[in-house]
Amino acid sequence: MKVLVIGGGAREHALCRSLSQDPAVTELHCAPGNAGIAQVATVHPVDQLDGAQVTDLAARLGAGLVVVGPEAPLVAGVADAVRAAGIPVFGPSGAAAQLEGSKAFAKDVMAAAGVPTARSYVCTTAEEAAEALDAFGAPYVVKDDGLAAGKGVVVTSDREAALAHAASCERVVIEEYLDGPEVSLFAITDGTTVVPLQPAQDFKRALDGDEGPNTGGMGAYSPLPWAPAGLVEEVLETVLQPTVDELRHRGTEFSGLLYAGLALTSRGTRVIEFNARFGDPETQVVLARLRTPLAGVLLAAATGTLDQLEPLRWDEGAAVTVVVASEGYPAAPRTGDPIEGLTDAEADGTAFVLHAGTRADEDGRVLSAGGRVLSVTATGTDLAEARDRAYAAVDRISLKGGQHRTDIALKAATA
Protein backbone atom coordinates (compact mmCIF):
# COMPACT_ATOMS: atom_id res chain seq x y z
CA MET A 1 0.00 0.00 0.00
CA LYS A 2 1.17 3.52 -0.86
CA VAL A 3 0.27 6.02 1.86
CA LEU A 4 0.20 9.83 1.71
CA VAL A 5 0.15 11.80 4.98
CA ILE A 6 -0.93 15.45 4.89
CA GLY A 7 0.73 17.84 7.35
CA GLY A 8 4.13 18.87 8.60
CA GLY A 9 4.27 18.75 12.39
CA ALA A 10 5.34 16.35 15.11
CA ARG A 11 1.94 14.61 14.97
CA GLU A 12 2.54 13.83 11.28
CA HIS A 13 6.12 12.74 12.02
CA ALA A 14 4.74 10.33 14.63
CA LEU A 15 2.22 9.00 12.11
CA CYS A 16 4.90 8.66 9.44
CA ARG A 17 7.28 6.92 11.84
CA SER A 18 4.64 4.32 12.74
CA LEU A 19 3.58 3.87 9.12
CA SER A 20 7.21 3.47 8.01
CA GLN A 21 7.51 0.52 10.41
CA ASP A 22 4.40 -1.17 8.95
CA PRO A 23 5.41 -3.96 6.51
CA ALA A 24 2.18 -3.38 4.57
CA VAL A 25 3.36 0.13 3.55
CA THR A 26 5.41 -0.11 0.35
CA GLU A 27 5.73 3.64 -0.24
CA LEU A 28 5.32 6.49 2.24
CA HIS A 29 4.81 10.11 1.20
CA CYS A 30 4.11 13.28 3.18
CA ALA A 31 3.07 16.76 2.09
CA PRO A 32 4.45 19.20 2.97
CA GLY A 33 6.42 17.33 5.68
CA ASN A 34 9.46 18.68 7.54
CA ALA A 35 13.17 17.96 7.96
CA GLY A 36 12.56 14.96 10.21
CA ILE A 37 9.73 13.45 8.17
CA ALA A 38 12.00 13.58 5.11
CA GLN A 39 14.12 10.88 6.75
CA VAL A 40 11.27 8.33 6.68
CA ALA A 41 9.03 9.53 3.81
CA THR A 42 9.26 11.25 0.44
CA VAL A 43 8.10 14.84 0.97
CA HIS A 44 6.20 16.97 -1.53
CA PRO A 45 5.25 20.65 -1.60
CA VAL A 46 1.51 21.18 -1.41
CA ASP A 47 -1.06 23.68 -0.18
CA GLN A 48 -2.58 21.41 2.46
CA LEU A 49 -5.79 23.50 2.54
CA ASP A 50 -6.40 22.96 -1.18
CA GLY A 51 -8.44 19.81 -1.69
CA ALA A 52 -7.81 19.74 -5.43
CA GLN A 53 -4.01 19.92 -4.96
CA VAL A 54 -4.03 17.18 -2.35
CA THR A 55 -6.29 14.96 -4.46
CA ASP A 56 -4.13 15.49 -7.56
CA LEU A 57 -0.99 14.57 -5.61
CA ALA A 58 -2.62 11.45 -4.16
CA ALA A 59 -3.77 10.36 -7.63
CA ARG A 60 -0.33 10.95 -9.20
CA LEU A 61 1.31 8.91 -6.45
CA GLY A 62 -1.23 6.11 -6.74
CA ALA A 63 -1.96 6.40 -3.02
CA GLY A 64 -4.11 3.65 -1.55
CA LEU A 65 -4.68 5.68 1.62
CA VAL A 66 -4.51 9.39 2.45
CA VAL A 67 -4.18 10.41 6.10
CA VAL A 68 -5.09 14.05 6.84
CA GLY A 69 -3.26 15.12 9.99
CA PRO A 70 -4.11 18.74 10.96
CA GLU A 71 -7.49 20.23 11.77
CA ALA A 72 -7.45 23.13 9.29
CA PRO A 73 -7.43 20.95 6.14
CA LEU A 74 -10.17 18.78 7.62
CA VAL A 75 -12.42 21.76 8.36
CA ALA A 76 -11.61 23.07 4.86
CA GLY A 77 -13.03 19.86 3.37
CA VAL A 78 -9.82 18.32 2.04
CA ALA A 79 -10.96 14.82 3.02
CA ASP A 80 -14.19 15.37 1.05
CA ALA A 81 -12.22 16.13 -2.11
CA VAL A 82 -10.02 13.05 -1.75
CA ARG A 83 -13.01 10.84 -0.94
CA ALA A 84 -14.92 12.16 -3.95
CA ALA A 85 -12.05 10.98 -6.16
CA GLY A 86 -12.52 7.43 -4.88
CA ILE A 87 -9.34 7.37 -2.82
CA PRO A 88 -9.64 5.98 0.74
CA VAL A 89 -9.01 8.78 3.23
CA PHE A 90 -8.59 8.81 7.00
CA GLY A 91 -10.24 11.97 8.24
CA PRO A 92 -13.76 13.32 8.66
CA SER A 93 -15.69 15.42 6.17
CA GLY A 94 -15.68 19.19 6.49
CA ALA A 95 -19.18 19.05 7.94
CA ALA A 96 -18.25 16.42 10.56
CA ALA A 97 -14.99 18.25 11.39
CA GLN A 98 -17.13 21.13 12.67
CA LEU A 99 -17.11 19.09 15.86
CA GLU A 100 -13.73 20.78 16.31
CA GLY A 101 -14.23 23.73 14.00
CA SER A 102 -17.10 25.13 16.06
CA LYS A 103 -17.36 24.81 19.84
CA ALA A 104 -21.03 25.80 19.57
CA PHE A 105 -21.73 22.98 17.09
CA ALA A 106 -19.97 20.52 19.40
CA LYS A 107 -22.11 21.65 22.34
CA ASP A 108 -25.26 21.18 20.27
CA VAL A 109 -24.23 17.65 19.29
CA MET A 110 -23.36 16.78 22.90
CA ALA A 111 -26.73 18.07 24.12
CA ALA A 112 -28.59 15.99 21.55
CA ALA A 113 -26.51 12.88 22.30
CA GLY A 114 -26.76 13.23 26.08
CA VAL A 115 -23.00 13.55 26.45
CA PRO A 116 -21.91 14.99 29.83
CA THR A 117 -20.14 18.34 29.43
CA ALA A 118 -19.84 21.75 31.07
CA ARG A 119 -22.80 24.12 31.07
CA SER A 120 -22.14 26.94 28.61
CA TYR A 121 -23.33 30.05 26.81
CA VAL A 122 -22.58 31.09 23.23
CA CYS A 123 -21.84 34.83 23.12
CA THR A 124 -21.40 37.28 20.25
CA THR A 125 -21.47 40.62 22.12
CA ALA A 126 -19.57 42.14 25.04
CA GLU A 127 -22.80 42.36 27.00
CA GLU A 128 -23.57 38.66 26.52
CA ALA A 129 -20.03 37.74 27.50
CA ALA A 130 -20.19 39.81 30.69
CA GLU A 131 -23.49 38.21 31.69
CA ALA A 132 -22.13 34.70 31.07
CA LEU A 133 -18.96 35.37 33.08
CA ASP A 134 -21.01 36.63 36.00
CA ALA A 135 -23.39 33.67 35.76
CA PHE A 136 -20.55 31.16 36.25
CA GLY A 137 -18.08 33.18 38.31
CA ALA A 138 -14.33 32.64 38.52
CA PRO A 139 -12.29 30.88 37.33
CA TYR A 140 -13.55 31.96 33.92
CA VAL A 141 -13.35 29.69 30.85
CA VAL A 142 -13.56 31.53 27.50
CA LYS A 143 -13.18 29.59 24.23
CA ASP A 144 -12.91 30.99 20.72
CA ASP A 145 -15.69 29.28 18.77
CA GLY A 146 -13.44 28.64 15.77
CA LEU A 147 -10.10 26.94 15.17
CA ALA A 148 -7.25 28.45 17.15
CA ALA A 149 -4.47 25.84 16.89
CA GLY A 150 -4.95 24.77 20.51
CA LYS A 151 -4.46 28.30 21.82
CA GLY A 152 -7.97 29.77 21.67
CA VAL A 153 -8.88 29.01 25.28
CA VAL A 154 -8.33 31.33 28.22
CA VAL A 155 -8.81 30.09 31.79
CA THR A 156 -8.34 32.91 34.27
CA SER A 157 -9.60 34.44 37.51
CA ASP A 158 -9.11 37.91 35.99
CA ARG A 159 -12.50 39.07 34.73
CA GLU A 160 -10.97 41.82 32.58
CA ALA A 161 -8.64 39.32 30.88
CA ALA A 162 -11.59 37.03 30.22
CA LEU A 163 -13.58 39.91 28.71
CA ALA A 164 -10.61 40.94 26.59
CA HIS A 165 -10.27 37.46 25.12
CA ALA A 166 -14.01 37.35 24.39
CA ALA A 167 -13.76 40.74 22.66
CA SER A 168 -10.93 39.48 20.44
CA CYS A 169 -13.13 36.67 19.03
CA GLU A 170 -16.14 36.92 16.75
CA ARG A 171 -18.04 34.36 18.77
CA VAL A 172 -17.09 32.63 22.02
CA VAL A 173 -18.32 29.81 24.19
CA ILE A 174 -18.17 30.69 27.89
CA GLU A 175 -18.61 27.76 30.21
CA GLU A 176 -18.39 26.63 33.79
CA TYR A 177 -14.97 25.64 35.08
CA LEU A 178 -14.44 21.88 35.38
CA ASP A 179 -12.31 20.72 38.30
CA GLY A 180 -10.20 17.57 38.40
CA PRO A 181 -7.41 16.09 36.24
CA GLU A 182 -7.65 16.11 32.46
CA VAL A 183 -7.40 13.10 30.16
CA SER A 184 -7.06 12.84 26.39
CA LEU A 185 -8.73 9.82 24.81
CA PHE A 186 -8.54 9.13 21.08
CA ALA A 187 -10.90 6.84 19.22
CA ILE A 188 -10.75 5.61 15.65
CA THR A 189 -14.14 5.30 13.94
CA ASP A 190 -15.59 4.49 10.54
CA GLY A 191 -18.83 6.29 11.38
CA THR A 192 -20.43 3.29 13.09
CA THR A 193 -17.84 1.22 14.94
CA VAL A 194 -15.70 3.04 17.52
CA VAL A 195 -12.30 1.70 18.64
CA PRO A 196 -10.77 3.61 21.58
CA LEU A 197 -7.00 3.94 21.93
CA GLN A 198 -5.05 4.22 25.19
CA PRO A 199 -5.56 7.39 27.26
CA ALA A 200 -2.85 10.01 27.67
CA GLN A 201 -2.36 13.29 29.50
CA ASP A 202 -0.82 16.41 28.02
CA PHE A 203 0.56 19.60 29.56
CA LYS A 204 -0.86 22.79 28.06
CA ARG A 205 0.86 25.48 30.11
CA ALA A 206 4.27 26.76 29.00
CA LEU A 207 6.04 26.57 32.36
CA ASP A 208 6.66 24.06 35.14
CA GLY A 209 3.90 23.67 37.70
CA ASP A 210 1.26 24.48 35.07
CA GLU A 211 2.22 28.13 35.10
CA GLY A 212 2.46 30.53 32.18
CA PRO A 213 0.34 30.91 29.05
CA ASN A 214 -1.55 28.18 27.23
CA THR A 215 0.33 26.47 24.42
CA GLY A 216 -0.32 23.78 21.84
CA GLY A 217 1.13 21.31 24.37
CA MET A 218 4.53 20.99 26.07
CA GLY A 219 4.60 17.24 26.68
CA ALA A 220 2.54 14.12 27.31
CA TYR A 221 2.63 10.63 28.78
CA SER A 222 0.80 7.32 28.64
CA PRO A 223 -0.52 5.24 30.37
CA LEU A 224 -2.23 6.97 33.29
CA PRO A 225 -1.65 4.83 36.40
CA TRP A 226 -3.96 7.07 38.44
CA ALA A 227 -6.95 6.82 36.08
CA PRO A 228 -9.96 4.98 37.49
CA ALA A 229 -10.55 1.40 36.38
CA GLY A 230 -12.99 1.16 33.50
CA LEU A 231 -12.47 4.75 32.34
CA VAL A 232 -12.02 3.88 28.66
CA GLU A 233 -15.13 1.68 28.65
CA GLU A 234 -17.15 4.38 30.42
CA VAL A 235 -16.11 7.08 27.94
CA LEU A 236 -16.79 4.77 24.99
CA GLU A 237 -20.33 4.16 26.28
CA THR A 238 -21.24 7.67 27.45
CA VAL A 239 -19.25 9.95 25.13
CA LEU A 240 -17.65 8.45 22.03
CA GLN A 241 -20.31 6.06 20.72
CA PRO A 242 -23.25 8.44 21.39
CA THR A 243 -21.44 11.26 19.57
CA VAL A 244 -20.65 9.13 16.52
CA ASP A 245 -24.23 7.81 16.49
CA GLU A 246 -25.71 11.32 16.74
CA LEU A 247 -23.62 12.59 13.83
CA ARG A 248 -24.63 9.60 11.72
CA HIS A 249 -28.28 10.21 12.52
CA ARG A 250 -27.85 13.82 11.35
CA GLY A 251 -26.43 12.60 8.05
CA THR A 252 -22.99 13.96 8.98
CA GLU A 253 -21.13 10.70 9.41
CA PHE A 254 -17.84 11.08 11.31
CA SER A 255 -15.06 8.85 9.98
CA GLY A 256 -11.52 9.27 11.25
CA LEU A 257 -10.07 10.20 14.62
CA LEU A 258 -12.39 11.49 17.34
CA TYR A 259 -10.46 13.04 20.23
CA ALA A 260 -12.25 13.63 23.52
CA GLY A 261 -10.62 16.03 25.97
CA LEU A 262 -12.01 15.01 29.36
CA ALA A 263 -12.09 16.33 32.91
CA LEU A 264 -12.48 13.79 35.71
CA THR A 265 -14.49 16.07 37.96
CA SER A 266 -15.90 15.58 41.44
CA ARG A 267 -19.28 15.10 39.72
CA GLY A 268 -18.09 12.56 37.16
CA THR A 269 -16.41 12.55 33.75
CA ARG A 270 -17.15 15.59 31.59
CA VAL A 271 -16.14 16.49 28.04
CA ILE A 272 -14.03 19.65 27.82
CA GLU A 273 -13.80 19.61 24.03
CA PHE A 274 -13.74 17.45 20.94
CA ASN A 275 -11.08 17.43 18.25
CA ALA A 276 -11.43 15.86 14.83
CA ARG A 277 -7.85 14.62 14.49
CA PHE A 278 -4.94 13.11 16.40
CA GLY A 279 -3.81 15.43 19.18
CA ASP A 280 -0.29 16.81 19.48
CA PRO A 281 1.69 15.87 21.61
CA GLU A 282 -0.46 12.96 22.84
CA THR A 283 -0.17 11.15 19.49
CA GLN A 284 3.56 10.83 20.04
CA VAL A 285 3.14 8.74 23.20
CA VAL A 286 0.03 6.80 22.17
CA LEU A 287 1.55 5.61 18.88
CA ALA A 288 4.83 4.80 20.65
CA ARG A 289 2.88 2.18 22.63
CA LEU A 290 0.73 0.81 19.77
CA ARG A 291 1.93 -2.59 18.56
CA THR A 292 -0.78 -3.26 15.96
CA PRO A 293 0.46 -2.09 12.52
CA LEU A 294 -1.06 1.34 11.95
CA ALA A 295 -1.87 1.36 8.23
CA GLY A 296 -4.43 -1.42 8.45
CA VAL A 297 -6.23 0.28 11.33
CA LEU A 298 -6.50 3.60 9.48
CA LEU A 299 -7.54 1.87 6.24
CA ALA A 300 -10.29 -0.05 8.06
CA ALA A 301 -11.69 3.27 9.32
CA ALA A 302 -11.46 4.77 5.82
CA THR A 303 -13.25 1.82 4.21
CA GLY A 304 -15.93 1.12 6.82
CA THR A 305 -14.53 -2.20 7.99
CA LEU A 306 -13.47 -1.45 11.56
CA ASP A 307 -15.88 -4.10 12.85
CA GLN A 308 -13.62 -6.72 11.24
CA LEU A 309 -10.46 -5.48 12.96
CA GLU A 310 -8.69 -7.64 15.52
CA PRO A 311 -8.37 -6.09 19.02
CA LEU A 312 -5.52 -3.60 19.19
CA ARG A 313 -2.26 -4.71 20.79
CA TRP A 314 -0.38 -2.42 23.15
CA ASP A 315 3.03 -2.26 24.76
CA GLU A 316 2.62 -2.80 28.50
CA GLY A 317 5.28 -0.19 29.28
CA ALA A 318 5.10 3.59 29.20
CA ALA A 319 5.97 6.50 26.90
CA VAL A 320 6.85 10.12 27.66
CA THR A 321 7.20 13.05 25.25
CA VAL A 322 8.97 16.32 26.11
CA VAL A 323 8.46 19.24 23.73
CA VAL A 324 11.45 21.46 22.99
CA ALA A 325 10.18 24.92 22.04
CA SER A 326 11.96 27.91 20.59
CA GLU A 327 12.91 31.06 22.45
CA GLY A 328 9.91 33.36 22.89
CA TYR A 329 7.27 30.63 22.46
CA PRO A 330 4.28 30.93 22.56
CA ALA A 331 4.07 34.75 22.21
CA ALA A 332 6.84 35.46 19.68
CA PRO A 333 8.81 32.33 18.76
CA ARG A 334 12.29 32.83 17.36
CA THR A 335 13.14 30.73 14.28
CA GLY A 336 16.11 30.00 12.03
CA ASP A 337 18.49 28.68 14.69
CA PRO A 338 20.53 25.51 14.05
CA ILE A 339 19.65 22.41 16.08
CA GLU A 340 22.57 20.27 17.21
CA GLY A 341 22.74 16.86 18.88
CA LEU A 342 19.83 15.15 17.13
CA THR A 343 21.87 12.05 16.31
CA ASP A 344 23.29 11.92 19.84
CA ALA A 345 19.78 12.11 21.31
CA GLU A 346 18.83 8.87 19.54
CA ALA A 347 22.20 7.13 19.85
CA ASP A 348 21.38 4.64 22.60
CA GLY A 349 18.09 3.55 21.01
CA THR A 350 15.90 4.37 24.01
CA ALA A 351 14.52 7.66 22.66
CA PHE A 352 13.59 9.15 19.30
CA VAL A 353 13.15 12.72 18.10
CA LEU A 354 10.03 13.80 16.23
CA HIS A 355 10.27 17.08 14.32
CA ALA A 356 7.56 19.70 14.68
CA GLY A 357 8.81 23.10 13.50
CA THR A 358 11.99 22.34 11.56
CA ARG A 359 13.44 22.82 8.08
CA ALA A 360 16.68 21.88 6.37
CA ASP A 361 18.87 24.61 4.86
CA GLU A 362 20.89 24.34 1.65
CA ASP A 363 23.79 22.82 3.59
CA GLY A 364 21.59 20.12 5.10
CA ARG A 365 21.58 21.64 8.59
CA VAL A 366 18.36 21.32 10.57
CA LEU A 367 17.00 24.73 11.64
CA SER A 368 14.13 25.75 13.89
CA ALA A 369 11.07 26.85 11.91
CA GLY A 370 8.27 27.16 14.45
CA GLY A 371 7.30 27.59 18.07
CA ARG A 372 7.26 23.93 19.06
CA VAL A 373 10.40 22.59 17.43
CA LEU A 374 10.84 18.97 18.57
CA SER A 375 8.98 16.23 20.45
CA VAL A 376 11.55 14.08 22.21
CA THR A 377 9.90 10.73 22.96
CA ALA A 378 11.08 7.72 24.94
CA THR A 379 9.60 4.43 26.07
CA GLY A 380 10.38 2.35 29.14
CA THR A 381 9.09 -0.36 31.40
CA ASP A 382 7.35 2.32 33.47
CA LEU A 383 6.86 6.08 33.48
CA ALA A 384 9.95 6.74 35.59
CA GLU A 385 12.22 4.95 33.12
CA ALA A 386 10.56 6.50 30.07
CA ARG A 387 10.81 9.93 31.67
CA ASP A 388 14.49 9.54 32.54
CA ARG A 389 15.27 8.44 28.99
CA ALA A 390 13.31 11.32 27.42
CA TYR A 391 15.05 13.97 29.52
CA ALA A 392 18.47 12.38 28.94
CA ALA A 393 17.83 12.73 25.21
CA VAL A 394 16.65 16.34 25.60
CA ASP A 395 19.90 17.14 27.40
CA ARG A 396 21.87 16.04 24.33
CA ILE A 397 20.09 18.53 22.06
CA SER A 398 21.29 22.11 21.60
CA LEU A 399 19.02 24.93 20.38
CA LYS A 400 19.82 28.55 21.14
CA GLY A 401 17.20 29.86 23.57
CA GLY A 402 15.38 26.53 23.47
CA GLN A 403 12.99 25.84 26.33
CA HIS A 404 11.17 22.86 27.77
CA ARG A 405 9.27 21.90 30.89
CA THR A 406 11.12 19.78 33.42
CA ASP A 407 8.07 18.26 35.12
CA ILE A 408 6.39 16.24 32.35
CA ALA A 409 4.94 13.05 33.95
CA LEU A 410 6.78 13.81 37.19
CA LYS A 411 3.82 13.42 39.55
CA ALA A 412 2.57 10.27 37.85
CA ALA A 413 6.05 8.72 37.78
CA THR A 414 6.72 9.37 41.46
CA ALA A 415 3.26 8.70 42.88
Side-chain angles (χ1 to χ4, degrees), residues 260-336:
L262 308 164
L264 308 189
T265 78
S266 54
R267 291 166 292 134
T269 303
R270 298 286 185 273
V271 174
I272 302 170
E273 64 175 357
F274 282 128
N275 290 333
R277 38 73 196 183
F278 280 102
D280 183 346
E282 299 98 319
T283 300
Q284 288 85 303
V285 292
V286 172
L287 291 187
R289 297 186 56 223
L290 180 64
R291 289 293 163 262
T292 300
L294 182 61
V297 180
L298 303 186
L299 184 64
T303 55
T305 57
L306 264 183
D307 60 333
Q308 301 169 28
L309 195 69
E310 294 288 324
L312 299 181
R313 303 191 309 277
W314 296 93
D315 189 297
E316 292 300 316
V320 172
T321 285
V322 179
V323 170
V324 177
S326 58
E327 181 179 348
Y329 178 76
R334 168 191 170 115
T335 61

Side-chain angles (χ1 to χ4, degrees), residues 103-104 107 120-122 141-143 145 171-175:
K103 306 292 188 299
K107 287 289 187 183
S120 63
Y121 295 102
V122 178
V141 181
V142 185
K143 299 181 176 180
D145 182 51
R171 184 161 81 154
V172 294
V173 174
I174 293 175
E175 60 185 40

